[in-house]
Amino acid sequence: MLDNSSDFNNATQTAAVPPGVHYNFPALVFGILLILVVIFGNVLVCISVYSEKALKTTTNYFIVSLAFADLLLAVLVLPLFVYAEFQGGVWSLNMFLCDGLMTMDVMLCTASIFNLCAISVDRFIAVAIPLNYNRKHVDHRQLVLLLGTWLLALAVASPVIFGINNVPDRYSRKCKLEDNNYVVYSSVCSFFIPCPIMVLLYFGIFRGLRRWELARKAKLRSSIDACRKLQQAAIATALPPLAGAIPGSLPMPLTRIIKRDLDQSQLNDMDDCMKQESPYPRQYNANFIPTITFSHDQHSKKGAKINSRERKAMRVLPVVVGCFLFCWTPFFVVHTTQAVCFTCEIPSGLTSTVTWLGYVNSALNPIIYTIFNTEFKKFFKKLFRNCCSTRLV
């Protein structure tokens, strides 16, 4: 709450520099390092998707949008925030610049969480209705999601542009959102509504993945049963006449071959298994032993499922969302509490800490991609290897 004493406010605002300003050098050093890490990591993400064909998937286009929001945060918001933290939280620049900072801060943080929410919607569509999902190119539905995230983020931040921060007796040495009602409104729109939606969507995604895995294993078990019946029929009828036609003895019993094929199939998708060599010995292929075949067209119509690469990419997304919630939940809780509870005394150190924690999230996403996503990891290793070899030459 602002002090009601206008004389005190006027006297404070006339001072060129408030007395007892403490320059926070650790905040300056940490802030510069954070800016460099955010820029470096997110630029790598954008370059990798642009230059690597294996990474050109619709999910990664949403990840690029998220990385772009983090890049803008590092370029437009973090330098001014670090400058203010270096001066002990004192704002010594123009208030118009402060309003611009608050606008970009609200918009980019909102764009980040809306991008994560759009990713969850996109993944849910890929699992729930895979036949209507375009995995390689951005279609009109995904384009609407991408544009919608930024337009909604701009809509949430627009009241700051139109002067909601220009309250009477505004203290010019603090740069913050002045209207408590707007703080609650922006927090609800940017965090408290999208996050539960995101969690519910991911719950539905993993339920769908689990059902698909169970259906795939059931298909494999039915295939094994059919192959065993075929083996028994071959032993009873076709095997004795073919004994002289097949040179030598069979390498291994057919049941062992089927079990080996099951173990291999559990490590790959059904699509990958269709492309593998037949698990039967080569002697069978030359003597017209009847085998069970699956219709590829039938599989593509009913199966249109998620391939191995997409499943691996999905595993990293909950980690990204979990880190986002861990980093930003304290920020929104603290700032909403400040806006709602007028008698609560929240230390300025706690407010500064949760704000830093929120900004750290922009540096964590590229690290998460490197650790948990195989395709990104391969590209980063190849890029660093090429850079090192170029320097050595």
Side-chain angles (χ1 to χ4, degrees), residues 15-77:
V17 177
V21 172
H22 174 68
Y23 292 104
N24 192 344
F25 287 97
L28 179 64
V29 174
F30 179 76
I32 292 175
L33 291 176
L34 179 62
I35 292 172
L36 294 177
V37 171
V38 172
I39 293 176
F40 178 75
N42 288 285
V43 165
L44 277 182
V45 171
C46 296
I47 292 176
S48 61
V49 175
Y50 175 78
S51 58
E52 189 71 15
K53 185 177 180 180
L55 293 174
K56 292 183 183 296
T57 63
T58 53
T59 301
N60 289 340
Y61 290 142
F62 285 98
I63 291 176
V64 168
S65 179
L66 175 63
F68 184 67
D70 291 335
L71 276 175
L72 290 180
L73 186 75
V75 174
L76 301 177
V77 175

Side-chain angles (χ1 to χ4, degrees), residues 308-358:
S308 178
R309 180 181 297 165
E310 284 185 323
R311 287 209 318 274
K312 290 178 181 178
M314 281 187 181
R315 290 170 188 167
V316 73
L317 299 178
V319 181
V320 176
V321 174
C323 288
F324 185 91
L325 295 178
F326 174 78
C327 291
W328 282 111
T329 300
F331 172 84
F332 283 101
V333 169
V334 168
H335 283 264
T336 305
T337 303
Q338 283 181 328
V340 174
C341 182
F342 301 108
T343 59
C344 299
E345 294 185 3
I346 298 177
S348 59
L350 177 61
T351 304
S352 178
T353 301
V354 297
T355 306
W356 277 109
L357 182 62

